[in-house]
Structures are given as C-alpha cells and as structure tokens.
Amino acid sequence: MSDNLEQKIIEQIKQENLEPTPRWHFLLKEWLVWSVGVLSLLVGAAAVSVIIYLFRNNDLFIYNQVGRSFGGWLLLSLPYFWIFFLALFVWLLFYNIKHTKRGYRYPLFLIASFSVIASIFLGGVFSLFGLGERIDDVLGRQAPFYDTIFNPHINIWSHPEEGRLSGLVITNFDDNNFVLVDRDGEEWAVVYSGKNKGGNNIIVVGQPVRVIGRVGGESLFVAQKIMTMQPGREFFRRFKPAGVSSLNFGPGKVSPACPNDKDVFLNLLQQYPELKQVLEQGLLDNQDLIREISAHNPGFLPMMQSWELFPATMQIIFSR
Amino acid sequence: MDNLLQISDLEDAELVRLSLADPNKFSLIINRYQDKLARYVRRLGAFSAEDTEDILQDIFLKVYLNLNDFKTDLKFSSWIYRIAHNQVISHFRKHQVRPEAHSSPIDSPGFELLANDISLDFQSDVNLRQAAIAAALGKIDARYREILILKFFEDKSYQEISDILKKPAGTVASLLNRAKKSLKNSLSVKMAE
C-alpha cells in the first residue's frame, strides 16, 4: 500500500470540496424513524380499539340461533380488514424500532413482542375512551365499501333468506311490531310475539336493529330474537327516509313522519284528510300483512279499535 | 515530540471534533486507523494491494462525510469498523464476487487463539496447522468467517462485534458458536483427506 494514502484522501476532500453531512440530516432521519414508529403504534392501537368494539358487540354465542357451529360463526364474523390493518402497522412499528440507531441491539422476538403488546395495550386504553366506537361511527357514515370491508357484520346480517335481517326502524306500531328499511332500501314489516329481545328500548324509530327469524311472506319477517345494532349503526342511518333524517330519535321522542303517539297521530289525520285516505287505501292493499301482524301480536287489533281508527276498513279486513 | 505525544493521547471523539473543525486534522484519524483497517479489509477478502487501497480510500471518505453521525455512546473503533465492513460487502456486491479466501500473515496470533479455542486435537507443525486453519477459514460461510475474524484476529468483544455487525449480542454469541463448529468440521474434512 502506498504511504501517501492519507495525503490522497485529504487532497480529494479539498479538491471536491467535500464536507461532512450536516448533523441535522442525521437527526431528521432518526426523528422520521421514531415518528413513523409512534404513528404506527397509534394507528395499530386504533385498529385494536375497533376490533375490541366489534368483538364486544359480536354476540359470538348466538351461533346456534343462526344455525352455525361456533367455529363457523367465528370465522364468518372475524373483522379481517382490521386484523390485516393491525398486522400491517405492528409490522411497521417493528420495522421502525429495528431501524432506530440502537434498535439492532435488541433481539427480534423482543421487538416483535413489544410491538404487539404495546399496540394491544394502547388499543385497550383507547377502547376505554370509546375510540373504536367513534371510528366505526365515522366510517359508517362516510366510508365507501363500509359494509363489505370495514364491518363484515353488515353483510352477515343482511341475509333475510338465511334468517338474519338488519336495518333501521322507520315505524314502530308498538313495542314488538315495526317496519325497518334494510341496506338495500327495502322495507320489511317485522312481527314478533316473544320476549326474546336483547334489552329494553330496542325498537325505537331511527335506531338500527338486528333480527333473527324467518321470511314470512313478501316484505314480511317473523322475528324470533331482536337485538340492538351497535357497530354499523351510523351506516344504516344512510338509508333514513327524507323526512326522518333530520330528526333526533330516541325513547319518548315522536316523529311526525312516523308518529307513534296517539294524539299527534290523530291530529295529523284530522289536519290532512288526504293522508287518512292514503293510509286507509294502504291498509286495504296490504290486508294479508295486517292480518299476519295481528296474528303475531294480539294487541294490534284492540289498539286500532281503542284509537277508533278506520273501523269500517278494519271490519272489511278482519271479516275474511 | 511533545506534540506527537499529545496527539496520540487524544481520544477518538476528540479527533472527530478536530476533524469537523479542520479537514486537515482528519489525517490524524487516517493515521490511527489506516493499518488496522487495511489488515481487516484484507482478512475479509484476499484483495490485491491496489484494491485494498481503493477500498480504504472509500472507507475514509465515507467516514469523513458521516462524521456528524458519530455519537459517543458507541466506541469510535466499532463505528469505523462497521463502515469498513459495509464498504467491503458493497465492494463484493459491486464486483459480483464472493469472498472466498482470506489473507492474513501466517504468524498472526489469531490462528493460535482460534486453534486453542476450538481445541484442535491434531498434532502437527505450527505452520502447517495455521495453514490448514487459513484454508478452512476460506471455505466456510462468509458470515461465519467474518465473525471469527472479528473475534480472534481483530480481538473484538461481543459488544463490539454486535455494534460492528448490527446484530444483538445474543445472536453474535450463537453465530460465533456455529462458526467455530463449522470451522472444526471443515478442518476435520481436510485432515481426513
């Protein structure tokens, strides 16, 4: 080796005006690695909080009521998108920790375990603050392909022919019988005579529900079990009829479009005689449905009689 | 004389600081590491004197350009060896060759250290034994060879090897173990021939 290597290098530095790369360049690089790592942790944790929210409301143990095995039901209802999303960001976190200045000093399994545990732990904390629920609500309102990608439950609960129906309650005749609009915009009259409801105040106009049962006729669903629909509830509000969309629904609230209060309803009929005619014609056109509702709900006919609604029409329907 | 003594007393981190302030002072770092790195480069692959010099030149230029990336929580020697190691690998890739032989003075104490460590049980002339080890080193996997070179020829600790190769200390230990077994197997085959 030549003795003047030192001289050659110094000359090259001077001739080519070489300068050490500024410190900020290395600091920025390191800062970027850490920032992407922290961001990956936060996004991964957010995915965990959505998974927790979806699982908490999954009703895993109704598998026999929907005619499935536990494993089959579990596989059907796993939130694959969110699991993939979580895996992606856990990997990004792992990758970024590994590429920090001293990341190589830690064994891979330690970094991998830390990435998984930190994401799950922080996701649990996020979940306590309702982040998963909020993310699901926002996506439900706005995200395209929500019902196929973000929340597979919407698909699962949109098979009336297999006994699973979901949608937004748009009219409730009473505590058990109501009309819902499904994700395809189709209206279903749901009749129910049992007591198998998952909680009080489930059938509320403007709220989505899940129903297990069977198709009883055209646009008629005979319910065996009615449950609330938490994940995806905002998605169904996309299908609110125009007059319903701007109203604040809930127990005790009355919708002028779908009145469930006797006085308000009777006043409306007095105020708009043409509405009365339309409703009366509607009853006559759906005689089979009215009889089916009445058969499953013994309180229906007495209610119509006590409200003194369309006595002549009811006489025609029930005289057959 | 006093000045020379003072310079040799300076720590590496201080030389880095001086080089950042004045490029001429970078020659102090070159002086301190030129021979060590030349030996290390030749041990990683049997390069000609010309190739070794070219590689060294690239190494020192890279060191100079990245001086601001050096942090004192790492030994400077580990940092500069890491750059040297990466530069040699990149040289192999650039020329699409595999490191096959290793060039080390036959009387290097590394051979004796290695022979003792793997408890070689064949008796022979010291020179023959060292030649056999050198030949076996050239035959084993490059990953094994580089870790044996760092441990026995460059006299680096586990932590230093970990910092040079950017691998966890535990991985270094198991890699070293496998490297010694591989070398011993290679030597046994050679002895059987």
Side-chain angles (χ1 to χ4, degrees), chain B residues 71-142:
Chain B
K71 282 185 184 166
T72 47
D73 59 343
L74 190 71
K75 277 180 83 171
F76 182 80
S77 65
S78 299
W79 185 73
I80 202 169
Y81 264 75
R82 182 193 292 171
I83 292 174
H85 175 261
N86 292 342
Q87 196 58 40
V88 171
I89 301 287
S90 130
H91 178 89
F92 287 139
R93 284 199 188 127
K94 202 168 154 189
H95 295 84
Q96 294 184 321
V97 290
R98 289 178 59 219
E100 281 175 356
H102 121 300
S103 166
S104 192
I106 209 74
D107 59 348
S108 167
F111 287 113
E112 265 321 291
L113 289 172
L114 190 52
N116 290 336
D117 196 282
I118 59 175
S119 317
L120 278 185
D121 51 4
F122 68 90
Q123 297 294 318
S124 68
D125 175 79
V126 172
N127 285 341
L128 280 176
R129 192 165 61 184
Q130 291 187 349
I133 294 174
L137 265 177
K139 288 214 167 71
I140 61 173
D141 190 298

Side-chain angles (χ1 to χ4, degrees), chain A residues 1-2 4-6 8-10 12-14 18-23 26 101-102 104-107, chain B residues 20 23-24 27 31 38 53 56-57 60-61 64-66 68-69 73-74 82 159 162-163 166-168:
Chain A
M1 190 178 330
S2 65
N4 60 355
L5 178 69
E6 167 194 333
K8 268 171 72 179
I9 292 169
I10 300 295
Q12 191 180 352
I13 289 172
K14 284 180 179 168
L18 297 176
E19 280 182 18
T21 310
R23 183 173 292 277
F26 299 105
K101 271 246 181 287
R102 301 288 170 258
Y104 66 85
R105 286 188 177 175
Y106 305 100
Chain B
L20 281 168
N24 289 313
S27 60
N31 257 326
E53 190 169 319
L56 273 184
Q57 193 166 344
F60 282 115
L61 282 176
Y64 179 71
L65 293 175
N66 288 284
N68 273 317
D69 195 26
D73 59 343
L74 190 71
R82 182 193 292 171
Q159 189 54 58
S162 157
D163 291 332
K166 291 186 92 172
K167 288 182 194 300

Side-chain angles (χ1 to χ4, degrees), chain B residues 31-47:
Chain B
N31 257 326
R32 186 171 286 183
Y33 280 95
Q34 180 176 341
D35 292 342
K36 287 181 191 169
L37 291 183
R39 270 197 305 273
Y40 179 53
V41 167
R42 277 201 301 268
R43 281 167 177 161
L44 285 178
F47 299 110

Side-chain angles (χ1 to χ4, degrees), chain A residues 310-320:
Chain A
F310 318 116
T313 312
M314 298 308 279
Q315 181 70 33
I316 294 168
I317 295 171
F318 287 100
S319 62
R320 291 194 184 173

